[in-house]
Amino acid sequence: MIGEKPVAATTDEVVAELRKRKAFVMVSHVKPDGDTLGAGLALGLALKRLGKRVHYFQADDSVPRNLRFLADADLVSNVVPADLPADALWVFCDMSDTARAGESLPPLSRENILDIDHHLGNSHFGALNYVLPRECSTGTCVMHLLRAMNVPVTPEIATCLLTTIMTDTGGFMHSNTTPEVLLLSAELMGSGADKDQITEEIFANKRLPALKLLGRALNEATLGHDGRYVWSYVDDAMLAECHADGEDTEEIIGHLRSIEGVDVAALFKAYDGEIRVSLRSNGRINVQSAAARLGGGGHFRASGLTFEGSLPEAIAAVDAALVAEGL
Ligand code: 5GP
Ligand code: MN
């Protein structure tokens, strides 16, 4: 240990641990996205090929509709099997702290935790922390492990991994789309990753309620700070009016961010008894730091938080946090 945090684990250390353990639980964060699920499923599928026992855990009741096409997605559950061995390794994918896994997680000792992530603010909560902030997705961290383990990347595994990349690069549009990312993606397509299916399932295939909700949220959009900031909200009434649910809010923040002249966009998701905030930046303002001021986190250009209080309080608090970061 150096200071308070264990040092980042090397690829060899993680591979040795994966080889040693016999049972695994892949853990996704709440409101799972293509990276947390794709990374966990890819590693789980690979470990199963090595004869290991693998379970997939997420706190939410079901896998988001647009990710159910991934192999093994039907095995993801919020129930931990009663006969799970005590030395099973819990592999957390794509989260900076264990709280992101939700409240239904059983108590775990650090020695049984492997933390695989690409968030800058990762708290190094595992015995091993494979945290690579330069990677575009947690899935590409997994890809490096699979390479080192010499396990064949099947088309199913490749599709899971390409999903992590396409999710976290916004379909190769975000600034984290480096030449290396494109090379890794080409390699995955060479292994049989179905890019067209990912495009169809995640980027096309919109439900009408989602588009109606987008319209409602854009209608409520408010510019501030001389047009450099835009915010909007979605509440229970808007969801009901559009026959939409939380999964249908995904696209809204990207549209807000794409407004000309806007440096930072915020979406306040005030439904189901809580207020979740999504923040996106064009690169001038660090929204990870802004979210961290309010107990959240994420990346420089994409972050989120849960706010305790009313919607007007959330709007004021986020405004103040962004101003403190230079908005
Ligand atoms: P989203 O707006 O899509 O929910 O989240 C954007 C980014 O912020 C993701 O990288 C996600 O992991 C991170 N993020 C969202 N909510 C939280 C949170 O409550 N805590 C932390 N630490 N990160 C979050
Ligand atoms: Mn990610």
Side-chain angles (χ1 to χ4, degrees):
M1 303 261 274
I2 295 177
E4 287 183 350
K5 290 179 176 180
V7 288
T10 65
T11 303
D12 287 347
E13 284 170 325
V14 177
V15 167
E17 196 64 29
L18 293 173
R19 289 199 188 285
K20 198 170 85 189
R21 304 273 182 145
K22 293 189 174 64
F24 296 83
V25 183
M26 318 305 303
V27 185
S28 294
H29 61 66
V30 288
K31 307 253 164 22
D33 61 11
D35 191 22
T36 190
L37 274 171
L41 292 168
L43 184 55
L45 287 160
L47 289 168
K48 282 201 215 175
R49 291 181 67 87
L50 299 177
K52 312 281 188 179
R53 177 175 168 184
V54 174
H55 297 278
Y56 305 99
F57 178 89
Q58 67 166 33
D60 298 56
D61 290 330
S62 60
V63 170
R65 287 180 290 272
N66 63 359
L67 295 169
R68 290 185 196 156
F69 72 100
L70 295 172
D72 270 3
D74 54 325
L75 301 180
V76 177
S77 157
N78 54 12
V79 180
V80 180
D83 66 343
L84 188 75
D87 66 345
L89 187 66
W90 292 66
V91 184
F92 288 68
C93 290
D94 194 42
M95 54 197 117
S96 22
D97 52 67
T98 51
R100 290 277 292 146
E103 283 166 8
S104 53
L105 199 69
L108 299 171
S109 71
R110 183 188 272 255
E111 72 195 39
N112 289 328
I113 295 179
L114 165 60
D115 158 26
I116 307 180
D117 189 26
H118 68 133
H119 287 93
L120 209 53
N122 185 289
S123 62
H124 290 219
F125 54 87
L128 288 174
N129 300 283
Y130 195 59
V131 180
L132 310 175
R134 299 171 74 96
E135 295 296 322
C136 75
S137 70
T138 301
T140 58
C141 306
V142 167
M143 205 171 162
H144 299 312
L145 294 173
L146 298 189
R147 253 193 203 154
M149 286 198 293
N150 247 321
V151 280
V153 173
T154 62
E156 290 73 28
I157 294 173
T159 296
C160 288
L161 292 172
L162 188 58
T163 295
T164 74
I165 295 176
M166 289 176 68
T167 300
D168 275 21
T169 63
F172 303 114
M173 283 200 287
H174 298 337
S175 59
N176 56 355
T177 311
T178 58
E180 291 73 28
V181 167
L182 295 175
L183 287 169
L184 289 177
S185 303
E187 187 182 320
L188 291 169
M189 285 183 73
S191 300
D194 194 340
K195 181 188 77 61
D196 294 344
Q197 187 185 27
I198 299 169
T199 304
E200 178 63 23
E201 297 281 352
I202 299 181
F203 296 96
N205 220 9
K206 299 293 166 221
R207 293 184 352 129
L208 183 57
L211 295 177
K212 287 188 173 171
L213 189 66
L214 171 63
R216 281 290 279 117
L218 292 179
N219 221 20
E220 302 295 330
T222 305
L223 288 171
H225 298 280
D226 298 325
R228 284 175 283 112
Y229 176 52
V230 65
W231 65 269
S232 188
Y233 69 96
V234 171
D235 61 15
D236 291 295
M238 287 157 77
L239 288 179
E241 201 180 300
C242 300
H243 303 286
D245 62 25
E247 288 178 35
D248 296 315
T249 63
E250 285 281 296
E251 302 283 300
I252 300 170
I253 187 70
H255 285 273
L256 293 172
R257 225 297 285 138
S258 70
I259 295 169
E260 186 179 30
V262 162
D263 285 339
V264 180
L267 180 67
F268 297 85
K269 296 180 269 191
Y271 49 77
D272 295 345
E274 59 177 12
I275 300 180
R276 302 251 331 125
V277 187
S278 285
L279 298 175
R280 298 291 184 272
S281 161
N282 66 358
R284 191 175 74 78
I285 304 292
N286 182 346
V287 291
Q288 188 241 328
S289 306
R293 287 173 181 272
L294 300 170
H299 306 281
F300 195 102
R301 291 169 182 250
S303 68
L305 61 112
T306 299
F307 188 84
E308 305 284 340
S310 68
L311 182 56
E313 284 165 354
I315 292 165
V318 166
D319 193 291
L322 290 169
V323 166
E325 292 301 324
L327 181 67

